[in-house]
Coordinates of all heavy atoms in Angstrom, one line a residue:
L1 N -16.0 32.1 7.3 CA -14.9 32.9 6.6 C -14.0 33.5 7.6 O -14.3 34.5 8.2 CB -15.5 33.9 5.7 CG -16.5 33.5 4.6 CD1 -16.9 34.7 3.8 CD2 -15.8 32.4 3.7
P2 N -12.9 32.8 7.9 CA -11.9 33.4 8.9 C -11.3 34.7 8.4 O -11.3 35.0 7.2 CB -10.8 32.3 9.0 CG -11.0 31.4 7.9 CD -12.4 31.6 7.4
V3 N -10.8 35.5 9.3 CA -10.3 36.8 8.9 C -8.9 36.7 8.3 O -8.6 37.3 7.3 CB -10.2 37.7 10.2 CG1 -9.5 39.1 9.8 CG2 -11.6 38.0 10.7
I4 N -8.1 35.7 8.8 CA -6.7 35.6 8.4 C -6.6 34.5 7.2 O -7.3 33.5 7.2 CB -5.8 35.1 9.5 CG1 -5.9 36.0 10.7 CG2 -4.4 34.9 9.1 CD1 -5.5 37.4 10.4
A5 N -5.8 34.9 6.2 CA -5.6 34.0 5.1 C -4.6 32.9 5.5 O -3.9 33.1 6.4 CB -5.1 34.8 3.9
P6 N -4.6 31.8 4.8 CA -3.7 30.7 5.1 C -2.3 31.1 4.6 O -2.2 32.0 3.7 CB -4.2 29.5 4.3 CG -5.0 30.1 3.2 CD -5.5 31.4 3.7
E7 N -1.3 30.4 5.1 CA 0.1 30.7 4.5 C 0.3 30.0 3.2 O -0.3 28.9 2.9 CB 1.1 30.1 5.5 CG 1.1 30.9 6.9 CD 2.2 30.3 7.8 OE1 3.0 29.5 7.4 OE2 2.1 30.6 9.0
L8 N 1.1 30.6 2.3 CA 1.2 30.0 1.0 C 1.8 28.6 1.0 O 1.2 27.7 0.2 CB 2.2 31.0 0.2 CG 2.4 30.6 -1.3 CD1 1.1 30.5 -2.0 CD2 3.4 31.6 -1.9
P9 N 2.8 28.2 1.7 CA 3.3 26.8 1.7 C 2.2 25.9 2.1 O 2.1 24.7 1.6 CB 4.4 26.8 2.7 CG 4.9 28.2 2.8 CD 3.7 29.1 2.6
E10 N 1.4 26.3 3.1 CA 0.3 25.4 3.6 C -0.7 25.2 2.4 O -1.2 24.0 2.2 CB -0.4 26.1 4.7 CG -1.7 25.3 5.2 CD -2.5 26.2 6.2 OE1 -1.9 27.0 7.0 OE2 -3.7 26.0 6.3
V11 N -1.0 26.2 1.7 CA -2.0 26.1 0.6 C -1.4 25.2 -0.5 O -2.1 24.3 -1.0 CB -2.3 27.5 0.0 CG1 -3.1 27.4 -1.3 CG2 -3.1 28.4 0.9
L12 N -0.2 25.4 -0.9 CA 0.5 24.6 -1.9 C 0.5 23.1 -1.5 O 0.2 22.2 -2.3 CB 1.9 25.1 -2.2 CG 2.0 26.5 -2.8 CD1 3.4 26.9 -2.9 CD2 1.3 26.6 -4.1
L13 N 0.9 22.8 -0.3 CA 0.9 21.5 0.2 C -0.4 20.8 0.2 O -0.6 19.7 -0.3 CB 1.5 21.4 1.6 CG 1.6 20.0 2.3 CD1 2.5 19.1 1.5 CD2 2.1 20.2 3.7
Q14 N -1.4 21.5 0.8 CA -2.8 20.9 0.9 C -3.4 20.7 -0.5 O -4.1 19.7 -0.7 CB -3.6 21.7 1.8 CG -3.2 21.7 3.2 CD -4.2 22.4 4.2 OE1 -4.9 23.4 3.8 NE2 -4.3 22.0 5.4
V15 N -3.2 21.6 -1.4 CA -3.7 21.5 -2.8 C -3.1 20.2 -3.4 O -3.8 19.4 -4.1 CB -3.5 22.7 -3.6 CG1 -3.8 22.5 -5.1 CG2 -4.4 23.9 -3.1
A16 N -1.8 20.1 -3.3 CA -1.1 18.9 -3.8 C -1.6 17.6 -3.2 O -1.8 16.6 -4.0 CB 0.4 19.1 -3.6
V17 N -1.8 17.6 -1.9 CA -2.3 16.4 -1.2 C -3.7 16.1 -1.7 O -4.1 14.9 -2.0 CB -2.3 16.5 0.3 CG1 -3.0 15.3 1.0 CG2 -0.8 16.6 0.8
C18 N -4.6 17.1 -1.8 CA -5.9 16.9 -2.3 C -5.9 16.4 -3.7 O -6.7 15.5 -4.1 CB -6.7 18.3 -2.3 SG -7.3 18.8 -0.7
L19 N -5.0 16.8 -4.6 CA -4.9 16.3 -6.0 C -4.5 14.9 -6.0 O -5.1 14.0 -6.7 CB -4.0 17.2 -6.8 CG -4.5 18.5 -7.3 CD1 -3.3 19.2 -8.0 CD2 -5.6 18.3 -8.3
L20 N -3.5 14.5 -5.1 CA -3.1 13.1 -5.1 C -4.2 12.2 -4.5 O -4.3 11.1 -5.0 CB -1.8 13.0 -4.2 CG -0.5 13.6 -4.8 CD1 0.5 13.8 -3.7 CD2 0.0 12.8 -5.9
L21 N -4.9 12.7 -3.5 CA -6.0 11.9 -3.0 C -7.1 11.7 -4.1 O -7.6 10.6 -4.3 CB -6.6 12.5 -1.8 CG -5.8 12.4 -0.5 CD1 -6.4 13.3 0.6 CD2 -5.7 11.0 0.0
F22 N -7.5 12.8 -4.7 CA -8.5 12.7 -5.8 C -8.1 11.8 -6.9 O -8.8 11.0 -7.4 CB -8.8 14.1 -6.3 CG -9.8 14.1 -7.4 CD1 -11.2 14.2 -7.1 CD2 -9.5 14.0 -8.7 CE1 -12.2 14.2 -8.1 CE2 -10.5 14.0 -9.7 CZ -11.8 14.1 -9.4
D23 N -6.8 11.8 -7.3 CA -6.3 11.0 -8.3 C -6.4 9.5 -8.0 O -6.8 8.7 -8.8 CB -4.8 11.4 -8.5 CG -4.2 10.7 -9.8 OD1 -4.6 11.1 -10.9 OD2 -3.4 9.8 -9.6
F24 N -6.1 9.2 -6.7 CA -6.2 7.8 -6.2 C -7.6 7.3 -6.2 O -8.0 6.2 -6.6 CB -5.5 7.7 -4.9 CG -5.7 6.3 -4.2 CD1 -5.2 5.2 -4.8 CD2 -6.5 6.2 -3.0 CE1 -5.4 3.9 -4.2 CE2 -6.7 4.9 -2.5 CZ -6.1 3.8 -3.0
E25 N -8.5 8.2 -5.6 CA -9.9 7.8 -5.5 C -10.6 7.6 -6.9 O -11.3 6.7 -7.1 CB -10.7 8.9 -4.7 CG -10.3 9.0 -3.3 CD -10.5 10.4 -2.7 OE1 -10.8 11.4 -3.4 OE2 -10.4 10.6 -1.5
Y26 N -10.3 8.6 -7.8 CA -10.9 8.4 -9.1 C -10.3 7.3 -9.9 O -11.0 6.6 -10.6 CB -10.7 9.7 -9.9 CG -11.4 9.6 -11.3 CD1 -12.8 9.5 -11.4 CD2 -10.7 9.7 -12.5 CE1 -13.4 9.4 -12.6 CE2 -11.3 9.6 -13.7 CZ -12.6 9.4 -13.7 OH -13.3 9.3 -14.9
F27 N -9.0 7.0 -9.7 CA -8.4 5.8 -10.3 C -9.1 4.5 -9.9 O -9.5 3.7 -10.8 CB -6.9 5.7 -9.9 CG -6.3 4.4 -10.4 CD1 -5.9 4.2 -11.7 CD2 -6.1 3.3 -9.5 CE1 -5.4 3.0 -12.1 CE2 -5.5 2.1 -9.9 CZ -5.2 2.0 -11.2
L28 N -9.4 4.3 -8.6 CA -10.1 3.1 -8.2 C -11.5 3.1 -8.7 O -12.0 2.1 -9.2 CB -10.1 3.1 -6.6 CG -8.8 2.9 -5.9 CD1 -9.0 2.9 -4.4 CD2 -8.1 1.6 -6.4
W29 N -12.2 4.2 -8.6 CA -13.6 4.3 -9.2 C -13.6 4.0 -10.7 O -14.5 3.2 -11.1 CB -14.1 5.7 -8.9 CG -15.6 5.9 -9.3 CD1 -16.6 5.9 -8.4 CD2 -16.1 6.2 -10.6 NE1 -17.8 6.1 -9.1 CE2 -17.6 6.3 -10.4 CE3 -15.6 6.3 -11.8 CZ2 -18.4 6.6 -11.5 CZ3 -16.4 6.6 -12.9 CH2 -17.8 6.7 -12.7
H30 N -12.7 4.6 -11.4 CA -12.6 4.5 -12.8 C -12.3 3.0 -13.2 O -13.0 2.5 -14.1 CB -11.6 5.4 -13.4 CG -11.7 5.8 -14.8 ND1 -10.8 6.5 -15.5 CD2 -12.7 5.4 -15.7 CE1 -11.2 6.7 -16.7 NE2 -12.3 6.0 -16.9
L31 N -11.3 2.4 -12.6 CA -10.9 1.0 -12.9 C -12.1 0.1 -12.6 O -12.4 -0.8 -13.4 CB -9.8 0.7 -12.0 CG -9.2 -0.7 -12.2 CD1 -8.5 -0.8 -13.6 CD2 -8.1 -1.0 -11.1
L32 N -12.8 0.3 -11.5 CA -14.0 -0.5 -11.1 C -15.1 -0.4 -12.2 O -15.7 -1.4 -12.6 CB -14.5 -0.1 -9.8 CG -15.6 -1.0 -9.2 CD1 -15.2 -2.4 -8.9 CD2 -16.2 -0.3 -7.9
H33 N -15.3 0.8 -12.6 CA -16.4 1.0 -13.6 C -16.1 0.6 -15.0 O -16.9 0.7 -15.9 CB -16.8 2.5 -13.6 CG -17.7 2.8 -12.4 ND1 -17.2 2.9 -11.1 CD2 -19.0 3.1 -12.3 CE1 -18.2 3.2 -10.3 NE2 -19.3 3.3 -10.9
H34 N -14.8 0.2 -15.2 CA -14.4 -0.4 -16.5 C -14.4 -1.9 -16.4 O -14.7 -2.6 -17.4 CB -13.1 0.2 -17.0 CG -13.2 1.4 -17.8 ND1 -13.3 1.4 -19.2 CD2 -13.2 2.7 -17.5 CE1 -13.3 2.6 -19.6 NE2 -13.3 3.5 -18.6
K35 N -14.0 -2.4 -15.3 CA -13.8 -3.8 -15.1 C -15.2 -4.6 -14.9 O -15.3 -5.7 -15.2 CB -12.9 -4.1 -13.9 CG -11.5 -3.7 -14.1 CD -10.8 -4.3 -15.4 CE -9.4 -3.8 -15.5 NZ -8.7 -4.4 -16.8
V36 N -16.1 -3.9 -14.3 CA -17.5 -4.5 -14.1 C -18.4 -4.0 -15.2 O -18.8 -2.8 -15.2 CB -18.0 -4.1 -12.7 CG1 -19.4 -4.7 -12.5 CG2 -17.0 -4.5 -11.6
P37 N -18.8 -4.9 -16.1 CA -19.6 -4.5 -17.3 C -20.9 -3.8 -16.9 O -21.2 -2.8 -17.6 CB -19.9 -5.8 -18.0 CG -18.8 -6.7 -17.6 CD -18.4 -6.3 -16.2
W38 N -21.6 -4.2 -15.8 CA -22.8 -3.5 -15.5 C -22.6 -2.1 -15.1 O -23.4 -1.2 -15.4 CB -23.5 -4.3 -14.3 CG -24.8 -3.7 -13.9 CD1 -26.0 -3.8 -14.5 CD2 -25.0 -2.8 -12.8 NE1 -27.0 -3.1 -13.8 CE2 -26.4 -2.4 -12.8 CE3 -24.1 -2.3 -11.8 CZ2 -26.9 -1.6 -11.8 CZ3 -24.7 -1.4 -10.8 CH2 -26.0 -1.1 -10.8
L39 N -21.5 -1.9 -14.3 CA -21.2 -0.5 -13.9 C -20.9 0.4 -15.1 O -21.3 1.5 -15.1 CB -20.1 -0.5 -12.9 CG -20.3 -1.1 -11.5 CD1 -19.1 -1.1 -10.6 CD2 -21.4 -0.2 -10.8
Y40 N -20.1 -0.2 -16.0 CA -19.7 0.6 -17.2 C -21.0 1.0 -18.0 O -21.2 2.1 -18.4 CB -18.7 -0.2 -18.0 CG -18.4 0.5 -19.3 CD1 -17.4 1.5 -19.3 CD2 -19.0 0.3 -20.5 CE1 -17.0 2.2 -20.4 CE2 -18.7 1.0 -21.7 CZ -17.7 1.9 -21.6 OH -17.4 2.6 -22.7
K41 N -21.8 0.0 -18.3 CA -23.0 0.2 -19.2 C -24.0 1.2 -18.5 O -24.6 2.0 -19.1 CB -23.6 -1.1 -19.5 CG -22.8 -2.0 -20.5 CD -23.5 -3.3 -20.7 CE -22.7 -4.2 -21.6 NZ -23.3 -5.5 -21.8
T42 N -24.1 1.0 -17.2 CA -25.1 1.8 -16.5 C -24.7 3.2 -16.1 O -25.5 4.1 -16.2 CB -25.5 1.0 -15.1 OG1 -25.8 -0.3 -15.4 CG2 -26.7 1.7 -14.5
F43 N -23.4 3.4 -15.8 CA -23.0 4.7 -15.2 C -21.9 5.4 -16.0 O -21.9 6.6 -16.0 CB -22.5 4.5 -13.8 CG -23.6 3.9 -12.8 CD1 -23.4 2.7 -12.2 CD2 -24.7 4.7 -12.6 CE1 -24.3 2.2 -11.4 CE2 -25.7 4.2 -11.7 CZ -25.5 2.9 -11.1
H44 N -21.0 4.6 -16.6 CA -19.8 5.3 -17.2 C -19.8 5.4 -18.7 O -19.1 6.2 -19.3 CB -18.6 4.6 -16.7 CG -17.3 5.3 -17.0 ND1 -17.0 6.6 -16.7 CD2 -16.1 4.9 -17.7 CE1 -15.8 7.0 -17.1 NE2 -15.3 5.9 -17.7
K45 N -20.6 4.6 -19.4 CA -20.6 4.5 -20.8 C -20.9 5.9 -21.5 O -20.3 6.2 -22.5 CB -21.6 3.5 -21.3 CG -21.5 3.2 -22.8 CD -22.5 2.1 -23.2 CE -22.4 1.9 -24.7 NZ -23.4 0.8 -25.2
V46 N -21.8 6.7 -20.9 CA -22.2 7.9 -21.4 C -20.9 8.9 -21.6 O -20.9 9.6 -22.6 CB -23.3 8.6 -20.6 CG1 -22.8 8.9 -19.2 CG2 -23.8 9.9 -21.3

């Protein structure tokens, strides 16, 4: 836990980048788990 807080623009930028990365990663994971029947039935159907 550092003593100094981050700057607001840095926080906003990094949160936005994290969201964009997560969106891309989950899109690929999600697409794969719908296109491959075994993955869908085993892991995503629930």
Side-chain angles (χ1 to χ4, degrees):
L1 301 180
V3 175
I4 304 299
E7 295 179 11
L8 184 58
E10 174 191 330
V11 172
L12 295 176
L13 176 62
Q14 290 185 333
V15 168
V17 173
C18 284
L19 280 175
L20 288 167
L21 285 172
F22 180 86
D23 190 71
F24 174 64
E25 291 156 352
Y26 183 63
F27 171 77
L28 293 179
W29 186 98
H30 201 184
L31 184 66
L32 183 66
H33 282 71
H34 271 268
K35 295 300 182 183
V36 180
W38 180 81
L39 289 176
Y40 178 81
K41 291 177 182 177
T42 308
F43 300 117
H44 190 51
K45 186 178 180 180
V46 62

